[in-house]
PDB file of all heavy atoms in Angstrom:
ATOM      1  N   ASP K  86      53.850 -37.808 -76.230  1.00 98.00           N
ATOM      2  CA  ASP K  86      55.305 -37.726 -76.369  1.00 98.00           C
ATOM      3  C   ASP K  86      55.884 -36.552 -75.593  1.00 98.00           C
ATOM      4  O   ASP K  86      57.113 -36.393 -75.522  1.00 98.00           O
ATOM      5  CB  ASP K  86      55.706 -37.598 -77.841  1.00 98.00           C
ATOM      6  CG  ASP K  86      55.287 -38.802 -78.670  1.00 98.00           C
ATOM      7  OD1 ASP K  86      55.194 -39.914 -78.110  1.00 98.00           O
ATOM      8  OD2 ASP K  86      55.030 -38.621 -79.879  1.00 98.00           O
ATOM      9  N   SER K  87      55.026 -35.717 -75.025  1.00 98.00           N
ATOM     10  CA  SER K  87      55.512 -34.601 -74.216  1.00 98.00           C
ATOM     11  C   SER K  87      56.309 -35.147 -73.038  1.00 98.00           C
ATOM     12  O   SER K  87      55.783 -35.915 -72.215  1.00 98.00           O
ATOM     13  CB  SER K  87      54.340 -33.754 -73.699  1.00 98.00           C
ATOM     14  OG  SER K  87      53.674 -33.106 -74.769  1.00 98.00           O
ATOM     15  N   ALA K  88      57.567 -34.773 -72.964  1.00 98.00           N
ATOM     16  CA  ALA K  88      58.476 -35.333 -71.960  1.00 98.00           C
ATOM     17  C   ALA K  88      59.825 -34.641 -72.097  1.00 98.00           C
ATOM     18  O   ALA K  88      60.020 -33.810 -72.991  1.00 98.00           O
ATOM     19  CB  ALA K  88      58.658 -36.838 -72.177  1.00 98.00           C
ATOM     20  N   VAL K  89      60.734 -35.001 -71.218  1.00 98.00           N
ATOM     21  CA  VAL K  89      62.131 -34.593 -71.359  1.00 98.00           C
ATOM     22  C   VAL K  89      62.892 -35.764 -71.964  1.00 98.00           C
ATOM     23  O   VAL K  89      62.770 -36.901 -71.495  1.00 98.00           O
ATOM     24  CB  VAL K  89      62.744 -34.199 -70.012  1.00 98.00           C
ATOM     25  CG1 VAL K  89      64.233 -33.886 -70.181  1.00 98.00           C
ATOM     26  CG2 VAL K  89      62.023 -32.986 -69.424  1.00 98.00           C
ATOM     27  N   TYR K  90      63.644 -35.491 -73.003  1.00 98.00           N
ATOM     28  CA  TYR K  90      64.440 -36.526 -73.664  1.00 98.00           C
ATOM     29  C   TYR K  90      65.898 -36.330 -73.248  1.00 98.00           C
ATOM     30  O   TYR K  90      66.510 -35.314 -73.534  1.00 98.00           O
ATOM     31  CB  TYR K  90      64.242 -36.470 -75.178  1.00 98.00           C
ATOM     32  CG  TYR K  90      62.842 -36.909 -75.524  1.00 98.00           C
ATOM     33  CD1 TYR K  90      61.773 -36.012 -75.478  1.00 98.00           C
ATOM     34  CD2 TYR K  90      62.562 -38.246 -75.803  1.00 98.00           C
ATOM     35  CE1 TYR K  90      60.477 -36.425 -75.715  1.00 98.00           C
ATOM     36  CE2 TYR K  90      61.262 -38.666 -76.047  1.00 98.00           C
ATOM     37  CZ  TYR K  90      60.227 -37.753 -75.994  1.00 98.00           C
ATOM     38  OH  TYR K  90      58.937 -38.176 -76.218  1.00 98.00           O
ATOM     39  N   LEU K  91      66.391 -37.318 -72.538  1.00 98.00           N
ATOM     40  CA  LEU K  91      67.729 -37.266 -71.966  1.00 98.00           C
ATOM     41  C   LEU K  91      68.678 -38.153 -72.749  1.00 98.00           C
ATOM     42  O   LEU K  91      68.359 -39.294 -73.060  1.00 98.00           O
ATOM     43  CB  LEU K  91      67.698 -37.751 -70.515  1.00 98.00           C
ATOM     44  CG  LEU K  91      66.913 -36.899 -69.514  1.00 98.00           C
ATOM     45  CD1 LEU K  91      66.642 -37.696 -68.247  1.00 98.00           C
ATOM     46  CD2 LEU K  91      67.669 -35.630 -69.190  1.00 98.00           C
ATOM     47  N   CYS K  92      69.831 -37.611 -73.031  1.00 98.00           N
ATOM     48  CA  CYS K  92      70.902 -38.395 -73.631  1.00 98.00           C
ATOM     49  C   CYS K  92      71.944 -38.662 -72.549  1.00 98.00           C
ATOM     50  O   CYS K  92      72.212 -37.804 -71.701  1.00 98.00           O
ATOM     51  CB  CYS K  92      71.518 -37.633 -74.796  1.00 98.00           C
ATOM     52  SG  CYS K  92      72.897 -38.477 -75.604  1.00 98.00           S
ATOM     53  N   ALA K  93      72.500 -39.841 -72.556  1.00 96.00           N
ATOM     54  CA  ALA K  93      73.548 -40.190 -71.602  1.00 96.00           C
ATOM     55  C   ALA K  93      74.622 -40.990 -72.315  1.00 96.00           C
ATOM     56  O   ALA K  93      74.368 -41.613 -73.355  1.00 96.00           O
ATOM     57  CB  ALA K  93      72.977 -41.009 -70.439  1.00 96.00           C
ATOM     58  N   SER K  94      75.814 -40.958 -71.763  1.00 94.00           N
ATOM     59  CA  SER K  94      76.882 -41.775 -72.329  1.00 94.00           C
ATOM     60  C   SER K  94      77.681 -42.412 -71.195  1.00 94.00           C
ATOM     61  O   SER K  94      77.643 -41.956 -70.049  1.00 94.00           O
ATOM     62  CB  SER K  94      77.805 -40.947 -73.228  1.00 94.00           C
ATOM     63  OG  SER K  94      78.570 -40.016 -72.484  1.00 94.00           O
ATOM     64  N   SER K  95      78.350 -43.488 -71.520  1.00 91.00           N
ATOM     65  CA  SER K  95      79.227 -44.143 -70.546  1.00 91.00           C
ATOM     66  C   SER K  95      80.399 -44.772 -71.275  1.00 91.00           C
ATOM     67  O   SER K  95      80.318 -45.060 -72.467  1.00 91.00           O
ATOM     68  CB  SER K  95      78.473 -45.201 -69.731  1.00 91.00           C
ATOM     69  OG  SER K  95      78.303 -46.379 -70.491  1.00 91.00           O
ATOM     70  N   SER K  96      81.471 -44.977 -70.509  1.00 87.00           N
ATOM     71  CA  SER K  96      82.655 -45.586 -71.109  1.00 87.00           C
ATOM     72  C   SER K  96      82.533 -47.093 -71.132  1.00 87.00           C
ATOM     73  O   SER K  96      83.302 -47.784 -71.792  1.00 87.00           O
ATOM     74  CB  SER K  96      83.911 -45.185 -70.327  1.00 87.00           C
ATOM     75  OG  SER K  96      83.771 -45.561 -68.969  1.00 87.00           O
ATOM     76  N   GLY K  97      81.546 -47.638 -70.409  1.00 73.00           N
ATOM     77  CA  GLY K  97      81.393 -49.071 -70.335  1.00 73.00           C
ATOM     78  C   GLY K  97      80.740 -49.653 -71.570  1.00 73.00           C
ATOM     79  O   GLY K  97      80.109 -48.960 -72.351  1.00 73.00           O
ATOM     80  N   VAL K  98      80.868 -50.938 -71.713  1.00 66.00           N
ATOM     81  CA  VAL K  98      80.187 -51.660 -72.771  1.00 66.00           C
ATOM     82  C   VAL K  98      79.312 -52.718 -72.105  1.00 66.00           C
ATOM     83  O   VAL K  98      79.083 -52.673 -70.908  1.00 66.00           O
ATOM     84  CB  VAL K  98      81.183 -52.284 -73.767  1.00 66.00           C
ATOM     85  CG1 VAL K  98      81.890 -51.170 -74.528  1.00 66.00           C
ATOM     86  CG2 VAL K  98      82.214 -53.148 -73.061  1.00 66.00           C
ATOM     87  N   LYS K  99      78.850 -53.681 -72.852  1.00 60.00           N
ATOM     88  CA  LYS K  99      77.780 -54.544 -72.371  1.00 60.00           C
ATOM     89  C   LYS K  99      78.128 -55.277 -71.078  1.00 60.00           C
ATOM     90  O   LYS K  99      77.294 -55.476 -70.226  1.00 60.00           O
ATOM     91  CB  LYS K  99      77.430 -55.535 -73.467  1.00 60.00           C
ATOM     92  CG  LYS K  99      76.042 -56.125 -73.340  1.00 60.00           C
ATOM     93  CD  LYS K  99      75.706 -56.950 -74.560  1.00 60.00           C
ATOM     94  CE  LYS K  99      74.346 -57.594 -74.403  1.00 60.00           C
ATOM     95  NZ  LYS K  99      74.016 -58.458 -75.533  1.00 60.00           N
ATOM     96  N   LYS K 100      79.365 -55.681 -70.912  1.00 57.00           N
ATOM     97  CA  LYS K 100      79.729 -56.474 -69.744  1.00 57.00           C
ATOM     98  C   LYS K 100      80.522 -55.684 -68.723  1.00 57.00           C
ATOM     99  O   LYS K 100      81.059 -56.235 -67.784  1.00 57.00           O
ATOM    100  CB  LYS K 100      80.540 -57.701 -70.191  1.00 57.00           C
ATOM    101  CG  LYS K 100      79.715 -58.697 -70.989  1.00 57.00           C
ATOM    102  CD  LYS K 100      78.632 -59.316 -70.145  1.00 57.00           C
ATOM    103  CE  LYS K 100      77.880 -60.396 -70.912  1.00 57.00           C
ATOM    104  NZ  LYS K 100      76.766 -60.960 -70.124  1.00 57.00           N
ATOM    105  N   VAL K 101      80.612 -54.402 -68.903  1.00 62.00           N
ATOM    106  CA  VAL K 101      81.429 -53.584 -68.005  1.00 62.00           C
ATOM    107  C   VAL K 101      80.546 -52.584 -67.298  1.00 62.00           C
ATOM    108  O   VAL K 101      79.746 -51.896 -67.914  1.00 62.00           O
ATOM    109  CB  VAL K 101      82.534 -52.843 -68.784  1.00 62.00           C
ATOM    110  CG1 VAL K 101      83.299 -51.897 -67.876  1.00 62.00           C
ATOM    111  CG2 VAL K 101      83.462 -53.847 -69.440  1.00 62.00           C
ATOM    112  N   ARG K 102      80.727 -52.503 -65.973  1.00 70.00           N
ATOM    113  CA  ARG K 102      79.921 -51.571 -65.208  1.00 70.00           C
ATOM    114  C   ARG K 102      80.583 -50.201 -65.224  1.00 70.00           C
ATOM    115  O   ARG K 102      81.761 -50.080 -64.929  1.00 70.00           O
ATOM    116  CB  ARG K 102      79.824 -52.043 -63.750  1.00 70.00           C
ATOM    117  CG  ARG K 102      79.676 -53.530 -63.566  1.00 70.00           C
ATOM    118  CD  ARG K 102      79.994 -53.905 -62.132  1.00 70.00           C
ATOM    119  NE  ARG K 102      80.175 -55.325 -61.950  1.00 70.00           N
ATOM    120  CZ  ARG K 102      81.347 -55.933 -62.009  1.00 70.00           C
ATOM    121  NH1 ARG K 102      82.433 -55.219 -62.239  1.00 70.00           N
ATOM    122  NH2 ARG K 102      81.447 -57.221 -61.854  1.00 70.00           N
ATOM    123  N   SER K 103      79.830 -49.189 -65.556  1.00 81.00           N
ATOM    124  CA  SER K 103      80.335 -47.830 -65.410  1.00 81.00           C
ATOM    125  C   SER K 103      79.144 -46.895 -65.344  1.00 81.00           C
ATOM    126  O   SER K 103      78.078 -47.194 -65.874  1.00 81.00           O
ATOM    127  CB  SER K 103      81.257 -47.460 -66.570  1.00 81.00           C
ATOM    128  OG  SER K 103      80.579 -47.562 -67.782  1.00 81.00           O
TER     129      SER K 103
END
Side-chain angles (χ1 to χ4, degrees):
Chain K
D86 298 331
S87 294
V89 176
Y90 291 84
L91 295 164
C92 178
S94 69
S95 78
S96 57
V98 293
K99 202 172 177 183
K100 292 295 185 183
V101 175
R102 321 164 193 93
S103 59

